[in-house]
């Protein structure tokens, strides 16, 4: 047999050679370490995350809320002593140089698991907009740089943007999860919640693109996809349609699946994290919000 003249694998035979020719490179400043803020001692948990992020060269951290209590109005979303707000203060004090993302998801705080009060089975937009405004101002005054808006209600980005601007918090950016998708990997809600009523159908990509277009027109600064492992085509579509930075957020449930894969021995934690983060970047994500940003090195 004639010796092959073209040998694609000349540059794959050693790890150092593979690293040299990669076109997709996952740098620390492209991964945003994620924390679901605990109810107990949230400040210490956020402080530790921020310190680790700085040590490992990350540019930002992402803090997601946990409710101590739920009620019919979701009042904890804008309480100044909520665990998320305590975590923001602690992270800012521990690492002033970091960019701080905080997630605003009203559904976490409502007893119904929906992002607002209901009128005839539909979210009451007026009361939801008021709650978004109060919650956004609380987070802004605590020191966040970016608010990640989830559980979208119609006009939610515009309502949040208007409230922030009127409170002289116009410097705060909005990451709109235009593709907040109904999925087996979506964030858990109370069993009574009709999750499909508020989250977009991943099998209706046209609706996702329309939502993103509306969010951009209302003042979104970044666009997000969550959960993201099964939505890489959505990332690609959004990248082609919009010039805003795209954020892929791994849900808590997706992270559990990845952890199970690593624990099974099928692959190391580092291999799993690298493969997942790289795939999301190839699909178009500029940033990947991930609880695995710090794990492989621990």
């Amino acid at each position: 047999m004639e010796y092959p003249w073209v040998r694609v694998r000349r540059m794959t035979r050693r790890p150092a050679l593979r690293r040299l020719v990669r076109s997709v490179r996952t740098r620390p400043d492209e991964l945003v370490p994620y924390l679901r803020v605990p109810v107990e001692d949230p400040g210490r948990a956020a402080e530790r995350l921020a310190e680790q992020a700085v040590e490992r060269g990350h540019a930002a951290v992402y803090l997601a809320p946990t409710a101590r209590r739920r009620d019919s109005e979701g009042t904890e979303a804008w309480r100044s002593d909520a665990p998320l707000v305590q975590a923001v203060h602690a992270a800012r004090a521990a690492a002033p140089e970091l960019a701080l993302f905080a997630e605003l998801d009203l559904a976490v705080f409502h007893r119904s698991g929906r992002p607002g009060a209901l009128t005839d089975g539909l979210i009451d937009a007026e009361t939801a907009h008021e709650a978004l405004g109060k919650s956004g101002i609380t987070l802004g005054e605590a020191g966040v740089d970016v608010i990640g808006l989830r559980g979208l209600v119609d006009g939610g980005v515009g309502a949040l943007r208007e409230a922030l601007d009127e409170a002289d918090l116009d410097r705060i950016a909005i990451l709109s999860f235009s593709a907040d998708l109904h999925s087996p990997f979506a964030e858990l809600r109370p069993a009574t919640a009709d999750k499909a009523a508020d989250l977009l159908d991943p099998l209706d990509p046209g609706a996702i693109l329309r939502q993103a277009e509306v969010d951009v027109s209302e003042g979104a600064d970044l666009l997000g996809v969550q959960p993201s492992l099964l939505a890489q085509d959505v990332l690609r579509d959004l990248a082609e349609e919009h010039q805003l930075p795209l954020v892929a957020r791994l849900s808590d449930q997706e992270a559990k699946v990845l952890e199970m894969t690593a624990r099974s021995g099928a692959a190391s934690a580092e291999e799993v994290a690298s493969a997942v983060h790289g795939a999301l970047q190839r699909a178009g994500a500029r940033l990947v919000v991930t609880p695995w940003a710090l794990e492989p090195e621990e």
Side-chain angles (χ1 to χ4, degrees), residues 81-100:
D81 63 346
L84 177 61
V85 178
Q86 295 180 48
V88 169
H89 283 297
R92 175 59 73 203
E97 67 271 39
L98 283 179
L100 293 185

Side-chain angles (χ1 to χ4, degrees), residues 158-171:
L160 177 58
R161 181 75 275 158
E162 182 178 358
L164 290 172
D165 291 353
E166 289 181 353
D168 292 328
L169 297 168
D170 54 291
R171 67 189 183 281

Side-chain angles (χ1 to χ4, degrees), residues 66-87:
T66 302
R68 291 173 300 192
R69 64 186 70 87
R70 294 185 173 95
D71 59 35
S72 59
E73 298 180 1
T75 54
E76 190 168 306
W78 57 84
R79 286 180 61 96
S80 60
D81 63 346
L84 177 61
V85 178
Q86 295 180 48

Side-chain angles (χ1 to χ4, degrees), residues 16-240:
L17 291 173
R18 292 194 292 273
R19 289 197 300 270
L20 283 174
V21 297
R22 282 176 179 160
S23 59
V24 176
R25 298 172 182 268
T26 301
R27 304 190 307 265
D29 58 1
E30 295 171 326
L31 300 178
V32 181
Y34 162 94
L35 173 69
R36 174 69 65 180
V37 174
V39 172
E40 299 296 330
D41 204 2
R44 179 61 191 133
E47 179 182 344
R48 181 171 181 270
L49 178 77
E51 290 171 348
Q52 287 183 315
V54 170
E55 289 173 3
R56 301 187 187 184
H58 296 283
V61 294
Y62 187 105
L63 303 173
T66 302
R68 291 173 300 192
R69 64 186 70 87
R70 294 185 173 95
D71 59 35
S72 59
E73 298 180 1
T75 54
E76 190 168 306
W78 57 84
R79 286 180 61 96
S80 60
D81 63 346
L84 177 61
V85 178
Q86 295 180 48
V88 169
H89 283 297
R92 175 59 73 203
E97 67 271 39
L98 283 179
L100 293 185
F101 288 66
E103 185 167 282
L104 173 50
D105 184 359
L106 294 178
V108 170
F109 304 102
H110 272 267
R111 187 179 296 121
S112 67
R114 304 283 298 277
L118 301 178
T119 302
D120 297 328
L122 298 175
I123 299 297
D124 185 316
E126 183 175 351
T127 58
H129 288 174
E130 181 181 357
L132 285 173
K134 290 190 292 187
S135 305
I137 290 171
T138 297
L139 291 172
E141 290 177 342
V144 302
D145 297 295
V146 183
I147 294 176
L149 181 57
R150 292 199 48 224
L152 292 180
V153 297
D154 292 337
V157 172
L160 177 58
R161 181 75 275 158
E162 182 178 358
L164 290 172
D165 291 353
E166 289 181 353
D168 292 328
L169 297 168
D170 54 291
R171 67 189 183 281
I172 296 172
I174 296 175
L175 159 59
S176 175
F177 281 94
S178 306
D180 204 352
L181 305 176
H182 180 54
S183 160
F185 299 113
E187 302 293 357
L188 295 177
R189 295 283 188 264
T192 55
D194 182 5
K195 294 186 291 185
D198 305 311
L199 304 178
L200 293 182
D201 186 348
L203 301 183
D204 186 6
I208 297 170
L209 292 176
R210 289 195 298 275
Q211 181 67 66
E213 185 176 348
V214 170
D215 295 345
V216 171
S217 71
E218 292 182 358
D221 301 285
L222 307 94
L223 296 176
V225 177
Q226 193 282 147
S228 54
L229 277 181
L230 299 182
Q232 294 177 44
D233 59 320
V234 174
L235 279 167
R236 176 60 61 195
D237 290 344
L238 289 173
E240 292 176 352

